[in-house]
Amino acid sequence: MRCELLRGAIGLSAFTPAAASWLARDPVRHNHLATVVSQRADGVLPTEPDALWALIGAAPGTPPTWVAAWTPPHLLLVPELDDEAASALVDALLEAGETLPGVTGMAPGPSAVARAWTSRTTASAHRGMATKLLVLDGLRPPSDVPGRLIRADWTYRPWLIRAVLGFEADAHSDEPEPFTEREAARRVDYFLSGGRAWLWEVRGEPVTMVCFAPPAAASYRINAVYTPPEHRRRGYAAAATAELSQHLLDIGAATVLLFTDAANPTSNGVYERIGYRAVADGETWTFTPS
């Protein structure tokens, strides 16, 4: 098995049509990868000059067996690679002179990459956050939560920036660079410009943020669900997620999904109670050079 690496925006223009059929095979498990690609291919986000797009298969020019994406400073993002594909990917990265800070994605892909990377370098690997991929399997919205869901407009930008910073602080990210207020503002502007930032409002006050990513093959991913500490344990996150899930179904979603921290029984319980079920696991590994 061989891996072809394509770089930057020019590489993305070749990667996108080559990877399209592969990404569409499983729009749920491959949703994160698909949206990373589509956001840059559509110009919603700028393509990082040093981004790498990987086509892994039997030979160059043939349909890929696997794909992967690395958009520094983020971690390498992979699907559920097997050992052979992970070895081909790592070999190509090393041949290109790259040094990986870590890898994330659908299990067992990151573990396979970690084994290949540490066997070929002097780096050590450290397990990061484990996640669960949940899919809506019959919505059961709570009926006794006060408030309503509203689409956020630009007047809520300062509140949303604080909420995104709080969300990232709670998430304990494994990303190699600290999350900054500038990055929070960029993310909020991205959500607001696409109409994908929503709020649960109680008596005119926002109490929970819930957003969603652009769809991939009619699969919509809810993300950035956050309730400030002073408003927690009142059901707002469950109500907001349920209402947004219904909205996405109403506008044509074939599937609604989200990722959650596998080690957080509270959030897992919230999503399961409103109708989500776990279908796959995600994992992260970070690398430390020796």
Side-chain angles (χ1 to χ4, degrees), residues 225-241:
V225 181
Y226 179 76
T227 303
E230 65 270 22
H231 296 303
R232 291 177 185 172
R233 297 180 178 84
R234 301 178 192 178
Y236 297 147
T241 303

Side-chain angles (χ1 to χ4, degrees), residues 177-192:
E177 295 189 3
F179 191 82
T180 64
E181 185 170 349
R182 180 179 179 181
E183 176 65 17
R186 188 200 64 80
R187 188 178 300 180
V188 167
D189 292 347
Y190 162 70
F191 283 134
L192 285 171

Side-chain angles (χ1 to χ4, degrees), residues 7-226:
R7 190 178 294 273
I10 293 175
L12 178 60
S13 65
F15 175 86
T16 302
S21 295
W22 187 91
L23 290 167
R25 292 177 193 170
D26 193 335
V28 173
R29 283 175 175 79
H30 302 157
N31 183 273
H32 190 186
L33 257 172
T35 54
V36 165
V37 173
S38 65
Q39 287 165 359
R40 289 155 178 81
D42 296 342
V44 175
L45 293 178
T47 301
E48 297 81 353
D50 50 354
L52 286 173
W53 315 98
L55 298 169
I56 309 166
T62 62
T65 306
W66 300 98
V67 305
W70 186 18
T71 55
H74 304 296
L75 301 180
L76 173 67
L77 178 61
V78 301
E80 56 279 18
L81 300 177
D82 57 23
D83 286 331
E84 184 182 8
S87 294
L89 174 58
V90 166
D91 287 343
L93 289 168
L94 289 171
E95 185 177 343
E98 302 292 342
T99 300
L100 278 181
V103 58
T104 191
M106 303 307 302
S111 290
V113 171
R115 285 192 297 272
W117 188 260
T118 55
S119 71
R120 290 160 170 78
T121 70
T122 60
S124 56
H126 311 276
R127 188 180 291 275
M129 178 183 288
T131 59
K132 287 188 177 294
L133 170 58
L134 278 62
V135 171
L136 186 61
D137 191 33
L139 191 59
R140 300 187 295 273
S143 58
D144 57 350
V145 180
R148 61 173 185 153
L149 186 72
I150 63 168
R151 190 195 303 266
D153 61 30
W154 291 91
T155 63
Y156 291 98
R157 185 175 184 267
W159 191 94
L160 288 166
I161 291 172
R162 292 192 297 271
V164 168
L165 286 168
F167 173 82
E168 287 295 328
D170 284 357
H172 305 293
S173 173
D174 295 302
E175 292 288 350
E177 295 189 3
F179 191 82
T180 64
E181 185 170 349
R182 180 179 179 181
E183 176 65 17
R186 188 200 64 80
R187 188 178 300 180
V188 167
D189 292 347
Y190 162 70
F191 283 134
L192 285 171
S193 63
R196 291 186 291 271
W198 294 69
L199 297 167
W200 191 259
E201 183 185 68
V202 178
R203 294 185 294 276
E205 178 186 6
V207 295
T208 290
M209 169 184 71
V210 57
C211 306
F212 67 94
S219 293
Y220 285 76
R221 174 165 45 92
I222 289 178
N223 54 19
V225 181
Y226 179 76

